[in-house]
Amino acid sequence: APAASPVVAAPTSAPTPTVSVPAPVATPTLAARPTVAPAPAPTRRVAGAFVLTVGVTDGDTIKVRVGATTERVRLIGLDAPELKGDECWAQKASSKMQSLVQSRSVRLVADPTQDDRDRYGRLLRHVVTEDGRLAAKVLIEGGFAKEYTYRNAYEHRGDYLAAQKRAQARKLGVWSAACSAPVVAAPAVPGTTTKPSSCVIKGNISSSGEKIYHVPGGGSYDATVITASKGERWFCTEDEARAAGWRKARN
């Protein structure tokens, strides 16, 4: 029998290779940047801002609250009698200042002609009351204080001098007969530091030759020694010291 023909299998098609297509990469979503609020500007003491008066030292110095700080303020342009020296009209001057500003808001105004602070760290300012009056002018016009110029002329000086003339003409307060009577005292013994009776104002001469007088309660009063042999002397009143060529210490 003829041999059977071998069965030839039909060629099998090679499987199509599977190509892996990478999944599309998702584009990352950028988160929106958070809105950053600008940092607040540092708090500044605005010139002329209202502040609360928390104390009255005397007729020309007060204490005010500025933020969390208590500041001493020496009013520009006046000189009131000293309480500690028991000077004439001192208590009345202090009481007048209290009636104007104690526990009330006042406006502090710097003067470019003057220093920001005095040698004792007190702010030098014009003080304006809630109703717009200059506290210094009120005291000067009422005879509770005298006009005072230190080195440079200041704003309002003309008004203060005019107010003082009116007080003098009316013989008010420090210009009254009650404050003008001279205190008669025995003179100091030449060459000693003996204080005349009832005269407590120290007329010192600085190393530069400047004549400066110190009143009781002043910052340098206790440390000041009077030596008559150097030309230093005691005074009974501030007017007497000024007339002799001495100026008041900055205190």
Side-chain angles (χ1 to χ4, degrees), residues 183-186 195-201 221 234-237 240:
V183 178
V184 179
K195 177 177 75 64
S197 174
S198 303
C199 297
V200 296
I201 298 174
Y221 183 84
W234 295 85
F235 294 102
C236 301
T237 67
E240 179 187 353

Side-chain angles (χ1 to χ4, degrees), residues 3 36 52 63 95 105 147 171 177 181 212 215 218 236 239 248 251:
V36 178
L52 179 65
K63 295 178 181 179
S95 296
S105 293
E147 187 278 333
K171 300 185 183 304
I212 304 171
V215 297
C236 301
D239 285 341
K248 188 175 183 180
N251 59 9

